[in-house]
Each structure stands twice: as structure tokens, then as C-alpha cells.
Amino acid sequence: MRDFEYSRAETLSGAAGQMGEGASVIAGGTNLLDLMKIQVMTPSRLVDISRIGELQGISEDGDGLRIGALVTNSELAADGRIRSGWPLLSRAILAGASAQIRNKATTGGNLLQRTRCPYFYDTAMACNKRSPGEGCAAQEGVGRMLAIFGTSEHCLAAHPSDMAVALAALRAEVEIRSKEGETRCLPVTELYRLPGDRPDLESVLEPGEIITAVRLPAPLADTRQVYKKVRDRASYAFALVSVAAVLEMEGDRIASASLAFGGVAPRPWTDPEAEQALVGAAPGDEAFGKAADVLIEQAHCHPDTEFKKPLLRRTLIAALREATGLAKPATGASTARIPA
Amino acid sequence: MTKTFRMDEAQPRLLDETGQGIVGAPLDRPEGPKKVSGRAHYAADGLPEGAAHGVLVRATISRGRITGIDESSVSGLGGVIGVFHGPEFLRNPAQGMAGEAPVQPGDEVHYHGQPIALVVAESFEAARDAAQRLVVSYEAEEGVETDPASASALEQDDPETAGDFDAAFAASEVTLDRSYATAPQVAAAMEPHAAVAEWEGDSLTLRGALQMLRFNKDELADSLGIPAEKVRILAPYVGGGFGSKLGIGPEAVAAALAARALGRPVRVVMTRQTVFDAVLRRSETSQRLRLGADRDGRLRALSHDDRVSNIEGEGFAEPVSQASQFLYGADGLSFAQTLARVSRTPAGSVRAPGEAVGMLALEQAMDELAEALEMCPVELRLKNLPEKNPMTGQPFSATRLADCLREGADRFGWADRKPMGSRREGEWFVGMGMASAARSNMLVKSAARVRLGADGAVVETDMTDIGTGTYAILGQIAAEMLGLRVEQVEVRLGDTSFPGASGSGGSFGANSAGSATFLAAKAIRETLAGRMGCSLSELTLQDGIARGGNREMPLSELVEEELVEEASVEAGDTSESHFSSGFGAHFAEVAVHAYTGEVRVRRMLGVMAMGRILNEKTARSQALGGMIWGLGAALTEEMAHDPRTGHVVTRDLANYHVPAHADVPGDMTVVFLEERDDMANPIQTKGIGELGISGAGAAILNAVRNACGARVYDMPATPDRVIAAMEAAGS
């Protein structure tokens, strides 16, 4: 680990004052410290924002909620309002990481976590995200976890967050404060940039901007919310694919569908055409499969991720079956019942 | 004086006659409270005064030569003390029981990830930073072969055979010819490999994370070119080994070299990434099973061929067909192995070498044969149990495999197993599967010393406890033999100044070190019988009282001066005349998601006969741990190598998926059937941990097949592979 300076900010404006070239904000540190140990990230200064009061807490915001950037994943997932109005978010968070990590990880930090592409993590390998212009070792390498949407010849990395996928399907917004103290809001999906030829630029945050909150719009009455994550083991693994689905029914037809997909793109992936394909449809594997086909038509796969096309298709169908009541959701979301 | 005992004939079951009643009891491990409160000091936990920190630097080419290590690239960094490299550096850890230095490649690089230098600094952080920055120049070779599947350097011995396989296969009414593949795996012990080296004059003390100190001492001395008597190794606590700590490793030699040069202690702890890069892996395998049988299920022909890999210069080849060579009988048997030489992280023993992966294939093939014969898989196995080892003709020393199969089927509710694909709960297919378990059993030369004082006893041996329960069982054996409460026995392990034992490996530690402890205590009993004026068979020792020859006397009076006996045991004629193996049967029930291909194991049962059980609790934990390893091999564990460089891509525990708690069913049952193996060793035991793995994964994969029709030939059965197999099966 490289030596670094450490300073603690008590206020947002104080934090802004301490930021500068080579500085990085630290809150939970669950991702940043790992990356510093292996020297994928080598900030010269850490500005600790974890004690800033303005970033704490969940408050009501009209019919919606404002979630402070420092609210931990555990706190957010356990919040009664979230569990009743936006259960998708709670389930997605609990599908990620481990209890210990969720106790430390924050809402803002979760959104800005880095990819887990193993070539990004290995400083002996070329990575444009780590060192722009160096090349992308993943292209000819191995990678079950690589993305299939929104990639480029310069980067195949997937965004690993589960929480962000749920937020995208819930049409949440990110509240951002500039160094000068001005606030702007963006849909979660617009926080991220696709890699193009600059995979190192992952978000649209300007220098000195920090995420202050996530805003959840009012929950739609009677929506069916499902988060379905498939991974290589039952817990503590990143998604091979995940599906967040928010459905509104009108009688026995689907009135609206809001979908987001994880483990498949550099950001929570959305596909308005796939959503549109469900509107007015009667629930059933055929209708679900058609929507899935619209989605996976856009996929560009590395040989190791070809499997994500059938897997994503099937996982979307399974999620929609749960959302529409065709399948009884198994106890504990997507795990089999295990006798005590 | 050391008494050496050779296991030349069956021994009386003395532990069934002694009166204390401790052997076999499910006692807590005595060191448990220390471990859970941080007071058990593992290799890296202690930092001697003045110690410096070393971090290993890896090669970043697949093969070639180091042309320069630019020490000036780090010499100006704060806290950096020096860079060490040289001809003594190890390419990789020694193979188990080598007793001599492993390959020392000098300036040659043989695989991407090979430790080539040690950077030493005043802090771990500074050393790690400098290791990252150190500039190394290479002359890389072109056209290096890193892929076992396409490697051209192949070694193949003549097949091992019995009878005429080809003729028997041709004459069989029903035949099966299947290929299976297993992924490379890694032990991933919780404690990373670590060493703290400290010199006093020309004598070295090394605190290490090692399994076999008697051998490690010689390996370390040979690596450094110093006499073995100048080396002392301490490893009182080891945080899991699973084969990965059998031999001396690069961290130990590097720490010793740097400490000698600097005249101060040096601690080297491998990062998790280095553990994956540079510790011996389990080879990937490709396997071909050919089975031929009569319509009634009697096996006529059995062939199990395999292809594995290793780096050049390593003699180890995963013994894939080991259990296939004795588990079932057939008229014609044939086993051929091909070893591909590749520039990859070297391969070696990982828990249950051979059986762990070989039985995944064998026991799936048996299931497929049962299906082809429309026969119950349990019945098929029962029908083919040989009376003797079919390859060697040796009678089995003890086998209760048939009982394990029947008892397991009964306890598991096997009769309720439904036809393939016919049981569904919601979106989940549910099915049952089973497999036989077998793991050959060994006795390895071991010595131990027992001291009996007025108020208790001490056991001393360089045996290790790698989490298995050695402290518990050696204390129980000594207490049983000497008529003491177990709290009155102190067990001292992991110090090469004690008598040399087998070490922990091959599940033979309890047999071997346990027998040595038994024999040393038995020698003390002989002395006590003499003092009591009775014969050995008349002597009873219980609760600190000696009885015999119509006398009764407290041990405290009988033993005025400490009695010390050392004993040594080694394999003898019985290992030639008989074949010893643990046997068992695994059963599993799984749910397979009809859409996503996720597999969830709902329950597992292992019924095992593994000789005398020394501690029912630690034995059970060993068996359970083994079964979870089986689950990992079947469903989750896969080490990925880059196709260009061969380097390990899955270099941490986020990418290499050992089963998480959520993968392990709450309902896991282990049943031990009573058994004594009189030919195995003087305490009639067999190895345990590895039997838990052997076959367990196959039971799960057979259950997947029963659930949904998917047969996954390329393991582990991750969701994508299950989906592909479901689609192939049309389910």
C-alpha cells in the first residue's frame, strides 16, 4: 500500500475544500481499501466523509424517500419503509456481499464501486480502466463475469452492484453536490458512462462532485417487485446475471414493466423495448420469452459469456413468473427450502 | 530408548480393554478456547523483536530467464531494507514427504506467478509497495505451452491392468463410454502460508504454516544447504492445510535467507493472491470411463483413463483412478494416465488426491450404467463389491461398504426416490442421488514420547494439528492408556525438537501419530505392571488408580519419578498382505431451478466405516468438512487460467468459489458404523477427512440428474452448465 494523507471532513463544504488532485473520498472503504492494498488505486489523500451529518439518514421526501449517501447497506435494507414500499431494493441489497460488508458499505459508495474484472484487479495485466491506453487483457482472456451489453473494444467490465440494479428499476435519482455547493439530480442509470474509448471514466461526476443522496420516487401502488440474482454459489458472489422487475398489472394483463439487469453491463442495464414488449401482454412464458429475446438481441458476448444469453433469458422469465404469480416465490427469495 | 514397532501382524484391540472409556468420546478439542479467543498463535501471529517484513515478488512471464532485478527501483523508498533473490529460492512448495529441496530454478522462470524475489522492509505495507514497484527484466521464451488440453509434451506409462479389458468390454452386453472433466482446484486454506525466520548463530528457528515437520526440516535444510540439525521448525497451530502445506514453501526459504543476511528476524506472509499463484494446485482432469456389464448388472469391464497436468520437474500426477482400481471388481480392468507438461502453477496434493476428482467421474459413470440397466444405483454397487482388491489380489483388511450402502439407503429414505424429472416443487426439480465412498488408508512412520508424572502425562511429537483434532485425540489415547482424565494429559505438538511423526497428510496422521502415542503409553504400562508385580494383561489403570495382582495403588505413588517412553511405528507386512481403505456411502437430495439452473443441496448423508473412531466429534467434523469439499467440487470450485499466459485469473476468494454457508444444507448427517481395522495399525483406525470428499460430489451430481435429467460432464455444475445439460436433455 502506498502512503497517503488522511483528513476527516465534518461538513460537505469542508470535504469540498479538502478534495484535490489525487484525493479520494472514503466512506465505508469496503472496495477502496482492497484496491489500495493491491495498488489498483493509489490515492495520495483520503478525505473521510463518514461523519458528515448532512449525508446520514433516510427521510421522507414527498411520497418518496431521500436516502443519505452514508446510509449503510444494512440500514437501508432493514428500513421498514423500504421493506414495505420498495421491497425490491431491500432484496437486492441483501443479495449482495456479506453481512459484515453491508454493515460498512454505504449507499453512495455502493453506486461508485469499481468493477471486479480480474484483469482490472491484476496490475500485471493490461487494463484501460486502470491505465488508459494500455489495452484490455480481458478481450482475449477468460471471464465469466464480463459484460455483454454496453461494452467496447477497450473494456468488457461489468458493474457489480445489486443495489444499483434495483434503484434503476425503481427509477431512482442520484443527488449530486458540486464543489461550489450546487445540487443536481440524475436518474441512476445516467450516473454512469459507458466505456467507449475511456473506460477509466466511469461516472459523470465532475471533479469535486460527490453523491449526497439517492431519491426514491413514490412507490406505485400494487406493483409486483422481484429481484432475481443468479451466481456461482448461493451467497457471497457477484451476479452472473440479475433481474430487477417492477410490474403493474391491470386485470390479467401487464400494464407496465420497469426492468433492470445486473452483471451484464458497465451500469445497471435497462432496455425500454423489452419493457414495452410486455405492456398489454398476458403473463406467460411465451410473452416473457419474447421480451427476453428483444433484450438479448443486443448482446455482444466474449466467448466465455455466451452462456449469459440463455441464462439472462431464463432468469428474466423466472423473475416475471414470480412477479406475475405464475410461480410461487420460494422461501427466502430464490433459494430452495432448506430444512432446519 | 525408542521402541520401534513394525506392523507385521494383526494387533490385539487393547483400546477396547482399557478402563478409562475416553477413546471415541465426543470431547471438545482442548485448544478450542484458545483458537476462538485469539490466544492460539499461528505462524505469523508472533512478531519477534526487531523483525522485518518480507513480501514475495512474482514473475510476470510464463517462461524464460530473469535478466535483471533492478534494486535501485525500490532502494530509495521509505522503509525498504533490501531485495533478496538467488539460487536457493524455491520455484514452488515441495511435494508431500519429499524430504529434500524442491526445484530451485535460479534465474529461470517456469510459470507466471513464480516467486522470484523477496522485498524486505520495516513494515508490511512498505514491503508490499516496493514489491509492486520492483523492476524486473526478462528474456521471455516464445511459444510456451500453458494449456493442458493442447500441450505437446506428454508422458504416458503403460496402462495398469488386470485381466483383459478389451476382450471383457467387447463381450459385455451393456457398455458405457463417457468422458468427464474437472476444473483445476486450490486448497484455499483459511490461514495463508507464512513463515517467521530467526537465526541464532548458524541455527535457524522457523515458525511456519506447515503440515509435515519431520520432512519440512530436511527440505528446509537442503534448500539452504545447511545441516538438518541446525534447523528447528515450530508449527503448533496451523490454519488448515488440505495438502497445500505438506512441503516447505518459497516463503520459508525466502524468510530464512533474508533473516540470515540481515541478522534480524524476517516474517513473510503470502498474500491471498500469492497463495493462488504459487501454492500447489490440484490439476484439472479429463477422464474417460468405460464400463461393460451383463444385463443383470455384473461388471465385466472397467477402464478409467485420465489426463492431468503438471509443470516439468514435478513427479506428482493426480492419481485420478486410485479408487477405481479397487472399489469394484471386473474381469478386465485397465487404467492409463497421461501427464501433460505445461507452464502453469505447479500441481500437487490437494485433499484426497485422486479420489476427490476420480470418484466424481467413476461414480457418475456407475449411475449412468445403472440407468442403462434400469437398475437401482444402490443395487448395482452392491452387486459388484469385490472380495479382494481386484488389481492386487490382496484381501481387504476391513470393509463394511455393503453395510454403508444399505444403512445409508435406509436412513436416507432412498425407497422414496422418484423417477427422473418427476418430482417438482414450484419452480424447482427435486431429486436424490448416491455414490460409494472409498479412500485408501495408510500408516506412515511416526514417533511420539509420553511422559508420566505423579499427577498427569505429557505427549510430545512433532505431529501437527491443522484443525483436525490431533490435540484432542492424542490426549484421549494417552489418557485412555494411562487411566487419566483427559485434562491431566498435556499434548505438545508442532516442534521438530520432539520425536518425528508422519505429519498431517493423506488422512494418515491419526493412524500414525496416534499409534506412536499408543505404543509409548503402552511401554509405560509395561513398567507400571512391573512395579505392580503383575502381568500387563492383569493391569488396569483407571482414574489415577493402578490395579493388578490383587493390589491397588494410586499412580501418584507408583510414579515417584517421571516415566518417559518414546515409541515409533512403521508399516510392515500387513500393508503387503492386506489392502486397507475407508469405505462409505454418500446420499444427497438437491433442488434444481427449472429456469436458472441453480442447484441447491437440501440434505446430505454420509454413512462411513473408518475403523475405530478416536473422537466422535472431531471425526464427524472431519467427515462433514470433507462432504462440503465434495459439494464444492461438484458445484462451485473452479480455478481459471488465462489461455495466453497460463496465469491464475481467480486469485482471491471472491473469484474462487468455495461453498458459502448458504450452499451447505442444514441437514447434513454423518453416521459411523462400528469397525476395527486390525491390519491397519495397532489402534485399528483408518483415515477420515478425505473419505468425506470421495464420492460426495458424485452423489450430488447424480441427484441433479435424477431431479431434472441434466448430466453435467464438465464440472463444476455451475448454472450455465446445468442449463446447457437441461436443454440437451430436453427438460
Side-chain angles (χ1 to χ4, degrees), chain B residues 336-355:
Chain B
Q337 180 168 62
T338 304
L339 175 62
R341 293 295 185 187
V342 289
S343 287
R344 268 193 186 186
T345 295
S349 290
V350 177
R351 205 174 192 192
E355 282 90 342

Side-chain angles (χ1 to χ4, degrees), chain A residues 144 307, chain B residues 183 638 710-712 714-726:
Chain A
R144 290 173 64 71
F307 77 86
Chain B
E638 177 165 21
R711 174 68 69 187
V712 180
D714 191 6
M715 291 159 267
T718 47
D720 50 316
R721 291 175 179 142
V722 174
I723 286 174
M726 282 200 292

